[in-house]
Amino acid sequence: MSKYQENRLFIHNTLNRKKELFTPLTPPHVGIYVCGPTVYGDPHLGHARPAVTFDLLYRYLKHLGYKVRYVRNITDVGHLESDADEGEDKILKKARLEQLEPMEVVQHYSNRYHEAMAALNVLPPSIEPRASGHIIEQQVMAQQIIENGYAYESNGSVYFDVLKYNEQHRYGKLSGRVLEDMLSDARQLGRQDEKRNSVDFALWKRAEPSHIMRWASKWGEGFPGWHLECSAMSKKYLGEKFDIHGGGMDLLFPHHECEIAQSVAATGSDAARYWMHNNMVTINGQKMGKSLGNFITLEELFTGSHSLLEKSYSPMTIRFFMLQAHYGSTIDFSNEALGAAEKGLIRLMGALKALEKLEPEDTTGSFDVDAFERNGYKAMNDDLGSPVLIAHLFDAAKYINTTLSGNDMISAAQLEKLKSLFGVFIFDILGLQEFEDKDTADLTEKLVDLLLDIRLEVKKKKDFELSDRIRSELASFGIIVKDKKDGFEWELKK
Ligand code: ZN
């Protein structure tokens, strides 16, 4: 029996608003589509949360023995400043401001994104398609939707006819919104408006003369609407029906709602069977935003170079901090919370090292390793309960430390199983890595310098016995001291 048959994984399906047993269409194969970044700026906390969330899902499904095809796109065209098909294309705007070719902007920020994801130990997806590389597929899908009667051409643009669609299907089934409310909230259409109704959205937009990113189409030169790329690319790489579609909660409406409508209108299938959404990140209790001055990029976090940060936080601290919350809850970043996560991670990694030092005895210790294994998987099977898994790891860490200090014991069988489970849970599933504890490293450096300064004074007083003792004892910890004319140099030999 493979691991995925032993483990009944439940995930919260946004579509039905309840936890459902995950049953893939064609096991052992699983298809996942996750909306990736629009690459027009440095990656920030808002990028890290979905990436880490779906990395946890990807890792866990792979650990259970599924063969996962994980598609995460890059949006490089068509994402306008406003959700209402208005404003400038985000990438074009950046290109204009920086006087760059739009594809230079795309390449630059895609590279930055990949670097940050690698630092967070987020596995690369199986396929990473770009919207601009799938213009034909998007045109074909828009045409299909027109032919099926759910879209119309207007003045060189193509719009999705939401009212028409809602006669046979339900527009709002994912977000729980009701069309009548949306209509009464929406602004009145102006006379020149190309849309039949304010709730209609663009599948294809006519390009104004100044618009650089443009492609030929049967409707004239233009560019695809933002929502269409994900429907077209998920269909291309995962088929008309696939297992899981993920993304941030901010994409639920309109983006994901529109994706469902497009897929149903084009193929008759609503594409994904399970929809998963990670919750948002706040900073000191506030929504993150450039105008609020609390917009923190990942690089600023890794280097500590933002006025709101008291120090730098390693990528593993950020990852661990996110995993300590359930992906469905909001998380609030503050120096205190990050500091606490860092301490927790150091404790966990310390326990992992301590495991190597434990001497097994003939008697079994107080810790139930089998229950630890069961509970760890149980936590993950309950909608990826990483915070609960981490709590169990802390219990195990406590036992390891108690045993190391001689107040409990461990048998060889217990030790072997605990080592293997720590590896599985910490590295394979949570995706954590050994990390350099910078604060302790800084402190060590200061202490060695202090001790060697004292040794210089000892030498001046001709106490060579004490001076030599300091030198040889430091050498026993791997610290090699070289005396120089005007002082000393030292290095740590590993
Ligand atoms: Zn998308």
Side-chain angles (χ1 to χ4, degrees), residues 184-361:
S184 63
D185 290 346
R187 68 190 167 83
Q188 292 301 305
L189 287 178
R191 223 177 247 171
Q192 280 82 36
D193 208 302
E194 302 166 345
K195 295 182 185 179
R196 286 184 189 161
N197 229 294
S198 53
V199 286
D200 293 353
F201 56 90
L203 300 178
W204 185 262
K205 286 276 275 182
R206 179 192 68 251
E208 300 302 329
S210 62
H211 200 101
I212 316 171
M213 298 167 89
R214 56 203 297 146
W215 289 266
S217 81
K218 62 190 299 183
W219 312 292
E221 291 210 342
F223 58 94
W226 171 40
H227 312 304
L228 192 56
E229 60 172 280
C230 293
S231 295
M233 297 190 296
S234 64
K235 176 172 173 268
K236 174 162 180 153
Y237 297 112
L238 299 170
E240 288 181 5
K241 195 82 185 170
F242 59 93
D243 295 303
I244 303 173
H245 193 311
M249 226 169 235
D250 53 334
L251 297 179
L252 221 158
F253 190 89
H255 185 58
H256 290 161
E257 197 71 67
C258 294
E259 277 190 44
I260 292 181
Q262 291 166 158
S263 297
V264 171
T267 70
S269 160
D270 61 357
R273 299 169 72 223
Y274 303 84
W275 283 80
M276 291 176 76
H277 290 92
N278 64 276
N279 213 321
M280 297 291 104
V281 171
T282 56
I283 296 184
N284 297 318
Q286 276 187 311
K287 212 178 152 191
M288 191 167 84
K290 282 202 167 116
S291 57
L292 294 167
N294 66 357
F295 188 88
I296 307 181
T297 68
L298 289 171
E299 180 165 298
E300 284 167 340
L301 270 167
F302 300 162
T303 56
S305 59
H306 188 287
S307 58
L308 285 177
L309 299 171
E310 282 165 11
K311 62 193 265 319
S312 65
Y313 299 99
S314 74
M316 277 308 109
T317 301
I318 307 295
R319 183 176 178 109
F320 187 65
F321 177 65
M322 290 186 166
L323 293 172
Q324 271 189 306
H326 186 260
Y327 73 86
S329 356
T330 51
I331 41 173
D332 188 42
F333 270 71
S334 65
N335 284 293
E336 275 164 314
L338 285 171
E342 187 178 73
K343 283 204 184 97
L345 183 58
I346 290 168
R347 200 158 85 230
L348 208 54
M349 290 301 179
L352 192 69
K353 284 208 180 92
L355 263 181
E356 299 302 321
K357 296 182 202 151
L358 291 186
E359 294 288 340
E361 293 177 49

Side-chain angles (χ1 to χ4, degrees), residues 39-40 76 79-82 87-102 105 109 210-213 290:
V39 281
Y40 68 104
D76 61 354
H79 195 175
L80 306 184
E81 286 177 290
S82 130
E88 209 174 341
D89 181 299
K90 293 183 182 202
I91 285 160
L92 267 190
K93 184 180 178 184
K94 188 78 180 173
R96 179 173 57 77
L97 294 173
E98 310 249 318
Q99 293 190 301
L100 293 168
E101 157 69 26
V105 172
Y109 290 112
S210 62
H211 200 101
I212 316 171
M213 298 167 89
K290 282 202 167 116

